Amino acid sequence: MTVRGDINEPARPRPDLVIGREELFTEARAQLSGGGSVLVHGPAGIGKSTVLRSLAAECAETARTVLRCSATESESHLPFLALADLFGLVVDEVSDGLPAPQRTALESALTGRGESTLQRDGLALRLAVLSVLRALAALGPVLIVADDLQWLDPASAELLGFAARRLGGVPVRMLCAVRTESESQELRTDRYLRASPPDTLALRIDPLTRAHVARLLDRRGHTGLSRSTVRDIHRTSGGNPLFALELGRALAESRTPPSPGEPLPVPTSLRALVLSRLDMLSAEARRTLLVASAGARPTLALLHAAGRANAEADTASAAALGLLATERETPGIRFAHPLVSAALYAEASAQERRAAHAALSTAASDPIERARHLALATTGTDPGVAARLGDAAAAARDRGAPSVAAGLGLLAARHTPPDAAPGPDQRRLQAAEDALTAGETDLARDIARQVLSHATGPADRVRAWIVVIDAAGQAMAEVDAVFPQALADAGEDPGLLALVRYQLAWRALLVEGEMAKGREEAASAARLAARAGDRRTELLALGFQAQMETLMGHPGAPGTIQLAMREPQDPRVACDHNGAGAARFRWLIMGDRLAEARTTITALLREAQRRGMVESEVHFLRGLAETELRAGHCGRALDLARESLRLARDTGIGEAATAMFTSLAEAAGGDVDRALALAREAVDRAEEDGDLVYLSRALGALGHARLVAGDAAGAVQSLRRVRELEGNLGVVDPARGRWHGDLAEALVRVGEAVEAQDVIDVTRERALRLERESVLAVLDRAEALVRAARGEQESAERQLASAQDRLAKLGYGLEEARAAYALAALRTFPQALGFARAGGTTAPGPTSYDEAARLFRRCRALPWLRQVEAATAASAPAPPLAPVALDALAATERQVAALVMEGATNREIAGRLFISVKTVEATLTRVYRKLGIRSRVDIVRLAAERRPG
C-alpha cells in the first residue's frame, strides 16, 4: 500500500522502455484516463508485473491514494491477507467515520484479533470495505494495484468484488494482473473480472515478436548474438520475455555455442519450471516425449513408426500433467510451450538423444527430416551421411527453405572427410550463401570468416570474401578493406574477377556515389563472367548495368534489359532483387506503365516468397507498395510498406531503404508524425552507413513529409540537399525520386518563386527528353503556383486543371487529388496565397473543396484529407472579432485573424490556408495596422471583448 506523498518509492519503470507493448499501453491509458479499470492477463513470465508497474507509475501521478497488494501462492490460504495489504496503512485515516459494527469487523479482519469471518460478519465487512473506499475517494482519486490476482485469498477477492460492483461514479480505479497459463484459461478471466468494477477492460499480454526479443536481449547486454541465435531464442522462449532473457544468459555463460541442429542450452532456472512434472511421468512415457521433442512435426503415427508402441497412453498422461496442449486443432502433437520440449531434450543424455534421432531417421516420411536425424545420430565423419545431407540441403533450397538448407549444409560439412569432393569448406560456403538468402547475414558472415581463417584455395577464398561483402548490405563502406584482398586472391581468373568486379560496381555506387563508374564496373563484370561461362554472375551484372542506365537516363537501358532477359536464364537470378526482372520493373514504373509494373512486381514477389529469398521479398514488397502509392491506393500501399518494414526490422535487411519508403506511405495514407520519424531514421542510417544513394532518397522522403506537415522551409532545406546529391551521383531521370515538384511547391510557399521556376525548367528539359509524362504533369502543377505568385491567376487555374486531367488519365490518383486541392485553394484564397489577378481584376469568391475531398477520400489519403477539412473550415465565413474595426479587414485577413484567435502558430496557419509563412506574416502586419494593435495578443483580446457574457 502506498499513500501518495507519504512514502518514497524506488525508481519506477519507464513505460517507454517496456518493449513491444505499445498498443496495449495505448488501450490501457485510454481506459484509465477515462476513469475505468484494467485487468492484464497472460502466462507466467510474459511481463504482466512489468506492465502493471509501468501503468501504475503513470496513474499514481493523478491519484491521491495508491493501494497495493501482491499475492503469492503460499499465502493464498490466509483470509483477509490481501485486504490487510491494501488497507493496513490507510484505514486509520477514515475508520472514525465508519459505523461501529463495520469498524469492529474490519479491525478484526485486518489485525487477526478476534474471529471475524465472512460467514459471521459478511455484511458488516462488505459494507466496511465499500465505506473505506468511498471515504478515501472523497479525499481524492484512489488507485488499487493488485498483482497475481489468481493467488488472492478468496475472502479478500469476495470483499473487493462486492465493493467494486457498487462504487458507481466514485473515483476509484483498479489496475490488476492475473496469470492465465493457456488460451482455454482466458475464458475464465470473467472470474477475476467479478472482483473488478463492471467497466473493467481485460487486456491479454501477447508473446513478443522476434524483433522485440532482439531489442530486449540487446538492452539487457546480450549484444553479441547472431540473428539466427535470436531466432532460436525466440522460438524456444515462445516470445516470453523472462524465458528469452534466461536463455540469453545461459548462452552468454556457455563456453561453446550449440552446434547446428542442436538446441539451445536451457538453464536450470527454466528447467525447474517443467522438470517437476516430467518426473511424474514413467520412464517409457518420458522416452516417448523425448522422441516427440526431437521431431520437427511429431504425430502419433510418427511415434509408432519410431517404436513407441504406447504412444497414445504416454501422450495422454503427459497432457494430463499439462506438458502437452490439450486443444487438438491438428493431428500433430504439440507441447504446451516450446520450453517444455527444450527442457526435456536438454535433460536427456547424449546417448539418449542419438537413440531418439536414430529411430526418427527411419520413421520420418520426409527425406530432409530423415537426413537431419541421421546426421544427429551419427558421430564423426561419414561420406555417405554427408552426401545424403547435401542432397537434403538441395531439396530444402528448391522448396524455398534456405534457412533449413543452411543448417543441413553445416551438418554436411561436419560429416565430410577433409579429402572429399565437395570438401567441407565448399559445403560451408554453400551454407553461408543459403543463410544470406534466408536473411541470416550474421550466420553467413561467421561461416565465411571461419573459412577464410584456414582456406588457401583462391576459389574458396574469393567466394568467402563475396559472402562477407554481401553480408554488409548497404553498409559496404564497413568492409572496404576486403576488396584489395579479394582482388589479390582472384588473380587473373576471369570467373573470380567477375565476382569481385560485380561487387566493385556496388561499391562505386554506394560508397563513392558514382553511377557512371558503377555502370562501367558492371559491364566489365558481365564480360568477364561471359568469358568464364558464369551465366549467373553475368545476369546479375547486366541487371545492375540496366538499373544504372535507367537512373542515368542512358539510351542503352532498354537494350541492356533485353540482353539481361535473354535465355538461358538462372531461375534464382530471375527473381532476385538485383536481377533483370527487378530492372525491368524499375524501367516500367519510371515510364508510367503502372499496370505492367504491378503485374511484374507481383510475380517477382510471389516467386521470391516461394523460394524463401528474404532480401528480395523485402525489396519486392516495397516495390509493390510503391506501385500502389503511384496509383493512389494509399491504404494498400501503407499496409504493404508496413509489412515490408516489419520484415526488414526482423531480419536487419534494408532497414534504411524500407523506413524511407514507409515514410512516404505514412505521409500519404497514415500518420505525418510517424512519416517524419521514419524519414529521419532513414537519413540517420544512410549517413551512418555512408550510403549516398539511399541518403538522397531518405532526404527526399523527409522533405515530402515536411511539406505534408506544413513545414515548407524544412522541406526546402531537405530537398535542396537531394538536388545536390543527385547531381553528384549522376542521376538524370527525374522519375527516380519524384521530389522536384515538391521542391518547387515548397519554394513558392517560402517566397522563392524564381528558384522554383529554375527547378521546374531544368527538370522539365530532362523529363521531356525521357518522355516522363507524370513528372511533366506534376511540374505543371507546381508551375501553376509560380504563375499565381506572379499574378497570372487565370493561366494558373488553366494549368492546374490541365495537370489534374493528365494525372487522372495516367492513373496517378494521389497526384490528381493534389492538383484538385491546389486548384480549390487557388480559387478560394487567391489573395491569401499572395496571388492577385493581372490588371487588378477581382478575384473569384470561395470555391468548394468537395472535389479534392472526394479524390483524397477515394485514395484513402488521410493526412491530405485532414488538410482539406481544415481548409474547408477556414474558408467558412469568419465570425467578427471586434464590433467595428474588423470591417476594414479583407476576407483573407479575417481568416488569418480567426486562426490566431484559435491559438494557431504562423506555420500552422500557413499549412491550413495553403500559403507561405511569409504571407502569413505580411497579412498579420496589415491586420495590426488596420486594427491599431501591436501583437497577436491584442487580436485575442479583441475577440474576447466581442464574445457575449
Side-chain angles (χ1 to χ4, degrees), residues 490-515:
E492 299 298 323
D493 186 306
L496 299 180
L497 278 174
L499 292 172
V500 182
R501 287 290 168 195
Y502 173 65
Q503 297 294 341
L504 284 170
W506 280 103
R507 180 187 178 279
L509 175 65
L510 297 178
V511 179
E512 299 180 51
E514 296 186 17
M515 284 191 174

mmCIF file of all heavy atoms in Angstrom, residues 490-515:
data_model
loop_
_atom_site.group_PDB
_atom_site.id
_atom_site.type_symbol
_atom_site.label_atom_id
_atom_site.label_comp_id
_atom_site.label_asym_id
_atom_site.label_seq_id
_atom_site.Cartn_x
_atom_site.Cartn_y
_atom_site.Cartn_z
ATOM 1 N N ALA A 490 41.753 -13.280 -56.415
ATOM 2 C CA ALA A 490 41.178 -13.608 -57.724
ATOM 3 C C ALA A 490 42.240 -13.751 -58.799
ATOM 4 O O ALA A 490 42.082 -14.544 -59.739
ATOM 5 C CB ALA A 490 40.161 -12.534 -58.123
ATOM 6 N N GLY A 491 43.337 -13.000 -58.679
ATOM 7 C CA GLY A 491 44.406 -13.082 -59.676
ATOM 8 C C GLY A 491 43.902 -12.707 -61.056
ATOM 9 O O GLY A 491 43.210 -11.700 -61.237
ATOM 10 N N GLU A 492 44.202 -13.555 -62.060
ATOM 11 C CA GLU A 492 43.801 -13.299 -63.439
ATOM 12 C C GLU A 492 42.636 -14.184 -63.869
ATOM 13 O O GLU A 492 42.282 -14.215 -65.048
ATOM 14 C CB GLU A 492 44.993 -13.530 -64.377
ATOM 15 C CG GLU A 492 46.179 -12.624 -64.109
ATOM 16 C CD GLU A 492 45.824 -11.154 -64.309
ATOM 17 O OE1 GLU A 492 45.042 -10.853 -65.245
ATOM 18 O OE2 GLU A 492 46.306 -10.316 -63.530
ATOM 19 N N ASP A 493 42.070 -14.919 -62.948
ATOM 20 C CA ASP A 493 40.965 -15.822 -63.267
ATOM 21 C C ASP A 493 39.725 -15.012 -63.625
ATOM 22 O O ASP A 493 39.189 -14.275 -62.784
ATOM 23 C CB ASP A 493 40.674 -16.721 -62.060
ATOM 24 C CG ASP A 493 39.643 -17.788 -62.358
ATOM 25 O OD1 ASP A 493 38.543 -17.442 -62.830
ATOM 26 O OD2 ASP A 493 39.937 -18.974 -62.118
ATOM 27 N N PRO A 494 39.209 -15.113 -64.865
ATOM 28 C CA PRO A 494 38.068 -14.267 -65.265
ATOM 29 C C PRO A 494 36.805 -14.533 -64.441
ATOM 30 O O PRO A 494 36.049 -13.611 -64.151
ATOM 31 C CB PRO A 494 37.853 -14.620 -66.735
ATOM 32 C CG PRO A 494 38.511 -15.954 -66.908
ATOM 33 C CD PRO A 494 39.653 -15.988 -65.955
ATOM 34 N N GLY A 495 36.578 -15.795 -64.069
ATOM 35 C CA GLY A 495 35.398 -16.103 -63.274
ATOM 36 C C GLY A 495 35.450 -15.472 -61.898
ATOM 37 O O GLY A 495 34.458 -14.909 -61.419
ATOM 38 N N LEU A 496 36.615 -15.552 -61.246
ATOM 39 C CA LEU A 496 36.766 -14.959 -59.922
ATOM 40 C C LEU A 496 36.776 -13.439 -60.020
ATOM 41 O O LEU A 496 36.200 -12.745 -59.177
ATOM 42 C CB LEU A 496 38.042 -15.463 -59.254
ATOM 43 C CG LEU A 496 38.118 -16.981 -59.016
ATOM 44 C CD1 LEU A 496 39.433 -17.348 -58.338
ATOM 45 C CD2 LEU A 496 36.936 -17.455 -58.186
ATOM 46 N N LEU A 497 37.426 -12.913 -61.054
ATOM 47 C CA LEU A 497 37.437 -11.459 -61.240
ATOM 48 C C LEU A 497 36.034 -10.917 -61.488
ATOM 49 O O LEU A 497 35.687 -9.819 -61.029
ATOM 50 C CB LEU A 497 38.346 -11.094 -62.409
ATOM 51 C CG LEU A 497 39.840 -11.003 -62.110
ATOM 52 C CD1 LEU A 497 40.619 -10.773 -63.398
ATOM 53 C CD2 LEU A 497 40.119 -9.872 -61.113
ATOM 54 N N ALA A 498 35.206 -11.686 -62.192
ATOM 55 C CA ALA A 498 33.836 -11.241 -62.443
ATOM 56 C C ALA A 498 33.073 -11.068 -61.141
ATOM 57 O O ALA A 498 32.327 -10.101 -60.960
ATOM 58 C CB ALA A 498 33.120 -12.246 -63.349
ATOM 59 N N LEU A 499 33.269 -12.002 -60.215
ATOM 60 C CA LEU A 499 32.602 -11.908 -58.921
ATOM 61 C C LEU A 499 33.001 -10.629 -58.185
ATOM 62 O O LEU A 499 32.162 -9.924 -57.617
ATOM 63 C CB LEU A 499 32.951 -13.123 -58.062
ATOM 64 C CG LEU A 499 32.411 -14.474 -58.525
ATOM 65 C CD1 LEU A 499 33.021 -15.596 -57.673
ATOM 66 C CD2 LEU A 499 30.899 -14.513 -58.426
ATOM 67 N N VAL A 500 34.316 -10.333 -58.207
ATOM 68 C CA VAL A 500 34.804 -9.165 -57.472
ATOM 69 C C VAL A 500 34.382 -7.877 -58.177
ATOM 70 O O VAL A 500 33.995 -6.896 -57.531
ATOM 71 C CB VAL A 500 36.330 -9.239 -57.306
ATOM 72 C CG1 VAL A 500 36.825 -8.039 -56.504
ATOM 73 C CG2 VAL A 500 36.728 -10.534 -56.601
ATOM 74 N N ARG A 501 34.469 -7.854 -59.521
ATOM 75 C CA ARG A 501 34.099 -6.647 -60.272
ATOM 76 C C ARG A 501 32.611 -6.307 -60.074
ATOM 77 O O ARG A 501 32.245 -5.132 -60.012
ATOM 78 C CB ARG A 501 34.380 -6.846 -61.768
ATOM 79 C CG ARG A 501 35.851 -6.817 -62.124
ATOM 80 C CD ARG A 501 36.419 -5.413 -61.977
ATOM 81 N NE ARG A 501 37.870 -5.414 -62.044
ATOM 82 C CZ ARG A 501 38.636 -4.414 -61.664
ATOM 83 N NH1 ARG A 501 38.083 -3.317 -61.152
ATOM 84 N NH2 ARG A 501 39.944 -4.476 -61.750
ATOM 85 N N TYR A 502 31.786 -7.309 -59.990
ATOM 86 C CA TYR A 502 30.366 -7.046 -59.731
ATOM 87 C C TYR A 502 30.183 -6.360 -58.382
ATOM 88 O O TYR A 502 29.405 -5.403 -58.258
ATOM 89 C CB TYR A 502 29.585 -8.360 -59.777
ATOM 90 C CG TYR A 502 28.138 -8.216 -59.366
ATOM 91 C CD1 TYR A 502 27.256 -7.447 -60.122
ATOM 92 C CD2 TYR A 502 27.659 -8.837 -58.222
ATOM 93 C CE1 TYR A 502 25.928 -7.306 -59.743
ATOM 94 C CE2 TYR A 502 26.333 -8.700 -57.828
ATOM 95 C CZ TYR A 502 25.472 -7.930 -58.591
ATOM 96 O OH TYR A 502 24.165 -7.784 -58.199
ATOM 97 N N GLN A 503 30.922 -6.797 -57.375
ATOM 98 C CA GLN A 503 30.843 -6.141 -56.062
ATOM 99 C C GLN A 503 31.443 -4.741 -56.119
ATOM 100 O O GLN A 503 30.973 -3.825 -55.427
ATOM 101 C CB GLN A 503 31.554 -6.984 -55.003
ATOM 102 C CG GLN A 503 30.937 -8.352 -54.772
ATOM 103 C CD GLN A 503 29.540 -8.269 -54.177
ATOM 104 O OE1 GLN A 503 29.146 -7.253 -53.625
ATOM 105 N NE2 GLN A 503 28.780 -9.353 -54.299
ATOM 106 N N LEU A 504 32.477 -4.546 -56.935
ATOM 107 C CA LEU A 504 33.063 -3.212 -57.089
ATOM 108 C C LEU A 504 32.069 -2.242 -57.737
ATOM 109 O O LEU A 504 32.118 -1.033 -57.487
ATOM 110 C CB LEU A 504 34.350 -3.286 -57.911
ATOM 111 C CG LEU A 504 35.576 -3.821 -57.164
ATOM 112 C CD1 LEU A 504 36.715 -4.089 -58.141
ATOM 113 C CD2 LEU A 504 36.023 -2.833 -56.083
ATOM 114 N N ALA A 505 31.187 -2.773 -58.572
ATOM 115 C CA ALA A 505 30.140 -1.923 -59.154
ATOM 116 C C ALA A 505 29.243 -1.372 -58.054
ATOM 117 O O ALA A 505 28.897 -0.181 -58.040
ATOM 118 C CB ALA A 505 29.323 -2.721 -60.166
ATOM 119 N N TRP A 506 28.875 -2.217 -57.113
ATOM 120 C CA TRP A 506 28.070 -1.761 -55.982
ATOM 121 C C TRP A 506 28.848 -0.784 -55.117
ATOM 122 O O TRP A 506 28.284 0.204 -54.628
ATOM 123 C CB TRP A 506 27.622 -2.960 -55.145
ATOM 124 C CG TRP A 506 26.444 -3.665 -55.722
ATOM 125 C CD1 TRP A 506 26.441 -4.838 -56.407
ATOM 126 C CD2 TRP A 506 25.100 -3.206 -55.693
ATOM 127 N NE1 TRP A 506 25.162 -5.156 -56.803
ATOM 128 C CE2 TRP A 506 24.316 -4.175 -56.371
ATOM 129 C CE3 TRP A 506 24.464 -2.090 -55.165
ATOM 130 C CZ2 TRP A 506 22.945 -4.044 -56.533
ATOM 131 C CZ3 TRP A 506 23.089 -1.956 -55.322
ATOM 132 C CH2 TRP A 506 22.351 -2.923 -56.001
ATOM 133 N N ARG A 507 30.124 -1.046 -54.929
ATOM 134 C CA ARG A 507 30.940 -0.135 -54.118
ATOM 135 C C ARG A 507 30.987 1.257 -54.757
ATOM 136 O O ARG A 507 30.882 2.280 -54.066
ATOM 137 C CB ARG A 507 32.351 -0.693 -53.954
ATOM 138 C CG ARG A 507 33.253 0.206 -53.112
ATOM 139 C CD ARG A 507 34.695 -0.278 -53.094
ATOM 140 N NE ARG A 507 35.512 0.637 -52.314
ATOM 141 C CZ ARG A 507 36.004 1.784 -52.776
ATOM 142 N NH1 ARG A 507 35.747 2.157 -54.031
ATOM 143 N NH2 ARG A 507 36.733 2.577 -51.997
ATOM 144 N N ALA A 508 31.154 1.297 -56.091
ATOM 145 C CA ALA A 508 31.200 2.588 -56.782
ATOM 146 C C ALA A 508 29.915 3.370 -56.557
ATOM 147 O O ALA A 508 29.939 4.593 -56.385
ATOM 148 C CB ALA A 508 31.433 2.361 -58.273
ATOM 149 N N LEU A 509 28.792 2.668 -56.524
ATOM 150 C CA LEU A 509 27.513 3.337 -56.342
ATOM 151 C C LEU A 509 27.301 3.757 -54.888
ATOM 152 O O LEU A 509 27.018 4.931 -54.602
ATOM 153 C CB LEU A 509 26.377 2.398 -56.777
ATOM 154 C CG LEU A 509 24.958 2.912 -56.529
ATOM 155 C CD1 LEU A 509 24.669 4.142 -57.379
ATOM 156 C CD2 LEU A 509 23.933 1.811 -56.800
ATOM 157 N N LEU A 510 27.456 2.803 -53.947
ATOM 158 C CA LEU A 510 27.073 3.057 -52.566
ATOM 159 C C LEU A 510 28.109 3.865 -51.798
ATOM 160 O O LEU A 510 27.755 4.711 -50.976
ATOM 161 C CB LEU A 510 26.829 1.728 -51.843
ATOM 162 C CG LEU A 510 25.676 0.874 -52.384
ATOM 163 C CD1 LEU A 510 25.580 -0.424 -51.612
ATOM 164 C CD2 LEU A 510 24.352 1.628 -52.307
ATOM 165 N N VAL A 511 29.383 3.582 -52.025
ATOM 166 C CA VAL A 511 30.444 4.227 -51.243
ATOM 167 C C VAL A 511 30.941 5.500 -51.921
ATOM 168 O O VAL A 511 31.100 6.540 -51.284
ATOM 169 C CB VAL A 511 31.608 3.248 -50.995
ATOM 170 C CG1 VAL A 511 32.719 3.927 -50.196
ATOM 171 C CG2 VAL A 511 31.115 1.994 -50.267
ATOM 172 N N GLU A 512 31.174 5.412 -53.226
ATOM 173 C CA GLU A 512 31.726 6.566 -53.946
ATOM 174 C C GLU A 512 30.647 7.461 -54.528
ATOM 175 O O GLU A 512 30.915 8.614 -54.872
ATOM 176 C CB GLU A 512 32.657 6.080 -55.062
ATOM 177 C CG GLU A 512 33.855 5.258 -54.558
ATOM 178 C CD GLU A 512 34.734 4.797 -55.695
ATOM 179 O OE1 GLU A 512 35.123 5.645 -56.532
ATOM 180 O OE2 GLU A 512 35.024 3.593 -55.764
ATOM 181 N N GLY A 513 29.426 6.934 -54.676
ATOM 182 C CA GLY A 513 28.349 7.745 -55.225
ATOM 183 C C GLY A 513 28.531 8.061 -56.695
ATOM 184 O O GLY A 513 28.130 9.132 -57.153
ATOM 185 N N GLU A 514 29.107 7.118 -57.447
ATOM 186 C CA GLU A 514 29.375 7.353 -58.869
ATOM 187 C C GLU A 514 28.648 6.307 -59.697
ATOM 188 O O GLU A 514 29.104 5.168 -59.843
ATOM 189 C CB GLU A 514 30.879 7.300 -59.139
ATOM 190 C CG GLU A 514 31.670 8.394 -58.429
ATOM 191 C CD GLU A 514 33.132 8.399 -58.832
ATOM 192 O OE1 GLU A 514 33.461 7.797 -59.878
ATOM 193 O OE2 GLU A 514 33.935 8.998 -58.114
ATOM 194 N N MET A 515 27.523 6.697 -60.261
ATOM 195 C CA MET A 515 26.736 5.770 -61.054
ATOM 196 C C MET A 515 27.451 5.373 -62.336
ATOM 197 O O MET A 515 27.394 4.205 -62.761
ATOM 198 C CB MET A 515 25.378 6.388 -61.392
ATOM 199 C CG MET A 515 24.402 6.380 -60.240
ATOM 200 S SD MET A 515 22.748 6.830 -60.775
ATOM 201 C CE MET A 515 21.850 6.530 -59.252
#
